[in-house]
Amino acid sequence: MAARPRNRRRIAVIAATAALIAVPAATGCSAVDKALDCVQTADSIADSVTDLQQAVENAANDPGQADEALNSIDKNLDKIGDKTDNADVSKAVDDLNKAVGNVRTAIKNGDETPDITPVTDAAGELTKVCTP
């Protein structure tokens, strides 16, 4: 069942990529490249969020797995944050950074099943603002 959301994201990335290819040449290559980077990075973040969900579900078996997923999200957020000058994308990145920080804090405070809903919501918003 976890494959379904991942497949939907893949379809969204393919559709977004197709839309980017269809953008008129007057837009400029750098704008298209930035948008494509945004879509690809948002997809990577979505995969990391899925990994985080699974890590939280399996926290008793491998407590470090959640930290690895959070690190992956952080790494991808750094990539996208450095490449964008779009206010909506920047806000979505900030919101996701805050949500990831809250989950980290909860885990450090001993919460084995932290609420990751804000992370999934923020990742969804990032995907939305990255999709043309």
Side-chain angles (χ1 to χ4, degrees):
M1 196 151 178
R4 284 189 179 153
R6 202 171 276 204
N7 285 339
R8 281 189 231 140
R9 281 192 301 275
R10 298 278 184 241
I11 291 168
V13 168
I14 291 168
T17 303
L20 289 172
I21 292 169
V23 172
T27 304
C29 291
S30 65
V32 172
D33 289 342
K34 281 185 179 182
L36 185 56
D37 285 344
C38 184
V39 169
Q40 290 171 337
T41 305
D43 186 52
S44 295
I45 290 170
D47 288 343
S48 297
V49 170
T50 300
D51 293 344
L52 177 61
Q53 289 170 322
Q54 292 171 351
V56 168
E57 290 172 10
N58 299 320
N61 298 335
D62 186 1
Q65 190 179 7
D67 197 44
E68 289 174 25
L70 291 169
N71 288 340
S72 177
I73 294 170
D74 282 338
K75 180 180 169 188
N76 284 309
L77 284 174
D78 288 343
K79 279 186 203 176
I80 201 168
D82 292 342
K83 293 181 181 180
T84 190
D85 56 358
N86 180 296
D88 292 334
V89 173
S90 293
K91 181 179 179 338
V93 167
D94 290 345
D95 291 348
L96 188 48
N97 268 323
K98 182 179 176 184
V100 166
N102 290 340
V103 171
R104 269 192 203 285
T105 300
I107 290 171
K108 284 180 183 177
N109 290 337
D111 187 349
E112 293 182 9
T113 56
D115 179 15
I116 62 167
T117 304
V119 174
T120 58
D121 291 347
E125 183 61 23
L126 179 61
T127 300
K128 183 175 133 186
V129 297
C130 281
T131 305

